[in-house]
Amino acid sequence: SGNPAVWNVTYHSLPPSNVAVDGNRYLFALLPTITFTSTNLTKTYGEDATDRLQDAYEESGEHLGVEGAYAPDSLAYTGKPDVVSPGAASGAAVPGSPYPITLQMGTLFSPAGYPFVLVNTGALTVVPKTLTVTR
């Protein structure tokens, strides 16, 4: 069809005459789920990793379309999750490491109605700072 698919409907729940968008469409009973998974990060003691922490996640589940059939859903979601960890602060201790990296909903929104799943498996490891002693 060259158009984005219509998700979470069937021919019986949404007959072609009731499809509100123009053009040919594929209908799928499946409703995609967008999954965000926190990833691992390492920092040196004394470093504030708050800014780097904001990209410590991966996204999956967004349907990117099928060439020759249907287009990707350009409005699957907007925004970003908030990413937090007690290990991001410059004073986070090496002995308390690794610290959990936790995702929160933040500004995530799906105009298409996709549900979100946040998987918190990432950890922030704090490594000792190298000290140089000169005489």
Side-chain angles (χ1 to χ4, degrees), residues 4-9 26-36 59-65 70-73 75-77 110 112-117:
V6 178
W7 302 97
N8 199 32
V9 296
Y26 281 87
L27 303 179
F28 291 95
L30 166 79
L31 179 61
T33 297
I34 307 292
T35 301
F36 290 87
E59 176 265 331
S60 63
E62 183 177 356
H63 281 265
L64 302 176
Y70 62 92
D73 189 351
L75 291 177
Y77 73 91
S110 175
Y114 294 1
F116 296 106
V117 172

Side-chain angles (χ1 to χ4, degrees), residues 56-115:
Y57 65 89
E58 296 174 343
E59 176 265 331
S60 63
E62 183 177 356
H63 281 265
L64 302 176
V66 174
E67 190 172 332
Y70 62 92
D73 189 351
S74 61
L75 291 177
Y77 73 91
T78 60
K80 293 180 63 167
D82 287 336
V83 187
V84 297
S85 176
S90 61
V94 174
S97 179
Y99 296 90
I101 296 177
T102 305
L103 302 177
Q104 300 168 346
M105 281 300 291
T107 59
L108 288 173
F109 174 72
S110 175
Y114 294 1

Side-chain angles (χ1 to χ4, degrees), residues 15-27:
S17 60
N18 291 350
V19 176
V21 288
D22 292 334
N24 294 328
R25 303 286 169 159
Y26 281 87
L27 303 179

Side-chain angles (χ1 to χ4, degrees), residues 34 43 48 91 100 106 118 123:
I34 307 292
K43 74 164 203 159
D48 184 337
L118 304 176

